[in-house]
Each structure stands twice: as structure tokens, then as C-alpha cells.
Amino acid sequence: MEQSPARSSSVTVADVAREAGVSKATAARVLGGYGIVSAKVREAVKAAASALDYRPNELARSMTTGRSGTIGVVVGDIENPFFSLAVRGITDVARLAGFNVILSNSGEDVAAEKAAIRTLVAKRVDGIIVSPAKEGDVEHLKDIERSGRPLALLDRSAPSLNVDTVIADDMQAAEGITRLLIGRGHRRIAYVTACDTPDHVFHSLDDIYTDSVRRRIEGHLGACREASLTSMEEWVRVGANSSEATRRIVLNMLQSAERPSAIIASDSVIGLEVFKVARELGLTLPDDLSLVSFHDADWTSVTSPPVTVVQQPVYQLGEAAATLLVERLNGEVGEGRRVVLQTRLIERASVGAAPSSGS
């Protein structure tokens, strides 16, 4: 009986072909995932590859198929639980489709985002998923689009790009929580975001360069106008992009003569800092201050009191973005698709009636 080749990383396509009793070209088609072969031949080649512990030479496969088998992902802040969970959704879909993921962090800085994308392109990734740091600065993303490499946007849209985009219904969510607070008698409602402006003061929606945050603030201010609340722009605080900056902003608000009776945190990282500062100042939630946070982070359900949140479909955002990208890689053509996923308000115990001095 003919002896099979030794099982090692040196096993070649020719070895697999010999073991399966097919030509080298046929074995290559099966192992490379391209071309047409019968189910019987495919199973024979896969069984031979498994028996020999065949491991593909990724460089060789890339040269044969024109693909690297990788997807690049660039997110704004990898330490933010929102992006961590979204990336989990991306990697789960990518793995099932046979792709590995290369992850980069932009730190919400456009220059870093551009550098990350240059690196991913140099690594010959097959497609890219990005959460754009700045909606108005996307020429580097247009270059990806023009190159023919599939691009999908995660959580943030860019109207100037005709690419697949997956977002949540942020505006409606912000409208809903603002109406909830107004319905409880709150009039001094602060909105705190990590987005910043040159002078660290919010003037108008044009100041906000991140699409998802702008939609939230737009929804918040729209609900305020609906209730005939004026000058609510003055209660929008920007620049909460680190724990130190957030702490400083929240301390200034809560120690002022006219402090807010309610705070909407644009993400759970900000929400946690608001919670800690309120506790430090001896303020009781919700008697002295009401708090609502975007993103149902783990900590929000175990605090005392547990925090009312906007539950975003974070894993599903990543899952949908990766699915759209894989479909493009598998030949899907046509105009850019826009997927909007629904959020859900989870009412816990951090929202109460406005105190008589804070209404």
C-alpha cells in the first residue's frame, strides 16, 4: 500500500491531490474555494486534506484567487464597549464566511483613520468596514470605493458615499428619551457627548462631525422644541472624550448654581462617569438627578439604582455590516444599501420626577 505523505505544514496541494485521486488543478479548485467540481470530488479532496492535516499557504492562495481572505475594520474607540461588541458581530460573520479580521483603532482622529486604511490596503484586505471619524472628511474612503474594494460603514453614515451603511435609529431614540424626561417635569436637560468643537462649545448641529451623535442631538433638540423649551442648545456639552474631561464637564454642571435636573449621556462611558460624579457629590439618583445613557453596558443594570438606557442593537450592527460586505465580496452589485436597526428604551430606576428646584 502506498504510504501517505508525512503530516506536517509542508503538505502540498499535490500531496492532497494524490491522496484524493484527482488532478492537482482539481484539488486546487476545491481548496481555494473557486471553480466548479462535483460534490463527490469536493468531499474526497476535503477528506484527504483533513487526513494529511493540510494547511494552505495563504500567500499562494492569495496569488491564485486574488484574495487575501481578510477584512479590515477601523473603529473609533476600541476600549468603548459599544465598538467591542460591534466588532464581535463582525468577526463572527467573517469567520463563518472564511475571512479573518484585521482591527484598527482611529481614536476618533481622521489622520489616524487615514493611516489605518493605508495600512489595510497595503495588506491587501479584501474589504473594509469603517466607522468614519468625521463625516465631512471622507476622500480617503472614496478612494476605497473607486478602487473597487467593497466598503461598508458601521454606525455612521456619509451621504457623499454610495456604499452599504448600517446605523441605528438614533434620532428617534433621542426623541423618545427626551420626551420621557419632559413628561416627568424636567426642563433643564443636559446632553453630554464626546464630540468636540474648536472652542469646546456647542453652537449648532453643524458643529457635530459624527453622524450618529448629530442625529441624537437633533432628535433631543427637536423634542425640546416640540415641548416649547427654548435655548436648549446651551445645555449640550461637548468634549467628554476622556474620563478626566468628562469628570470636569460633569462637575462644572452639577456644582453650578443652576444645575441640570437630568443628563443624557451619549454613550455608556460618559454615563458611568456621570454616575460616579453624582455619587461623589452626594446627589441621589433619581431624587436629585435623573440619568439616561445610550448603550446598555453591563454596569448599567447592576448599579444602585440601575440606569435607564437606550439599548442599541450593537452586535447586530456589526453583524449586518459584515453580512453586507461579504455579500459584496461574493458578487452582489448595485447601489449602496442603507440598513436602519431599531433601538429599545429600557426603563429602570434612574429617572424620576424633576425636583422642585430643578424643573
Side-chain angles (χ1 to χ4, degrees), residues 62 65-72 98-100 120 123-128 148-151 325 329:
S62 174
T65 66
R67 288 188 175 182
S68 65
T70 56
I71 290 172
F99 292 92
N100 292 315
L120 291 172
K123 289 182 178 293
R124 302 181 64 82
V125 296
D126 298 319
I128 298 177
R149 183 180 275 105
L151 169 67
L325 190 74
L329 289 168

Side-chain angles (χ1 to χ4, degrees), residues 21 62 81 100 125 145 178 294 345:
S62 174
N100 292 315
V125 296
E145 187 182 9
T178 302
F294 274 84
L345 175 65

Side-chain angles (χ1 to χ4, degrees), residues 106-272:
S106 72
E108 301 291 9
D109 178 74
V110 177
E113 178 179 291
K114 292 177 180 178
I117 288 174
R118 283 195 299 270
T119 299
L120 291 172
V121 171
K123 289 182 178 293
R124 302 181 64 82
V125 296
D126 298 319
I128 298 177
I129 297 173
V130 183
S131 289
K134 192 171 184 180
E135 178 190 329
D137 192 346
V138 294
E139 195 61 35
H140 56 298
L141 301 182
K142 291 181 181 179
D143 288 340
I144 296 173
E145 187 182 9
R146 285 190 286 263
S147 74
R149 183 180 275 105
L151 169 67
L153 302 186
L154 171 70
D155 184 48
R156 302 165 183 177
S157 61
S160 61
L161 295 174
N162 182 27
V163 299
D164 295 334
T165 302
V166 182
I167 61 173
D169 62 341
D170 293 292
M171 183 183 298
Q172 291 86 348
E175 289 173 346
I177 58 178
T178 302
R179 287 173 185 145
L180 170 69
L181 293 170
I182 292 172
R184 301 291 177 87
H186 294 276
R187 297 297 179 267
R188 296 203 296 269
I189 306 169
Y191 187 102
V192 185
T193 175
C195 284
D196 208 352
T197 65
D199 61 357
H200 312 300
V201 175
F202 175 81
H203 302 283
S204 72
L205 290 171
D206 293 337
D207 293 336
I208 304 301
Y209 50 78
T210 300
D211 171 69
S212 58
V213 176
R214 187 173 60 255
R215 293 196 306 271
R216 293 174 197 170
I217 297 176
E218 183 177 359
H220 165 63
L221 294 177
C224 289
R225 286 192 298 272
E226 180 184 89
S228 300
L229 300 184
T230 59
S231 303
M232 294 303 290
E233 292 82 1
E234 298 174 7
W235 290 95
V236 177
R237 296 292 189 272
V238 298
N241 45 28
S242 68
S243 59
E244 295 79 11
T246 305
R247 174 180 167 78
R248 182 172 61 254
I249 290 168
V250 176
L251 275 172
N252 287 340
M253 284 196 301
L254 296 183
Q255 290 181 322
S256 66
E258 193 176 57
R259 71 171 185 243
S261 64
I263 294 177
I264 299 172
S266 200
D267 64 52
S268 63
V269 177
I270 294 172
L272 180 57

Side-chain angles (χ1 to χ4, degrees), residues 95-112:
R95 184 179 65 253
L96 289 175
F99 292 92
N100 292 315
V101 172
I102 301 176
L103 178 63
S104 296
N105 183 51
S106 72
E108 301 291 9
D109 178 74
V110 177

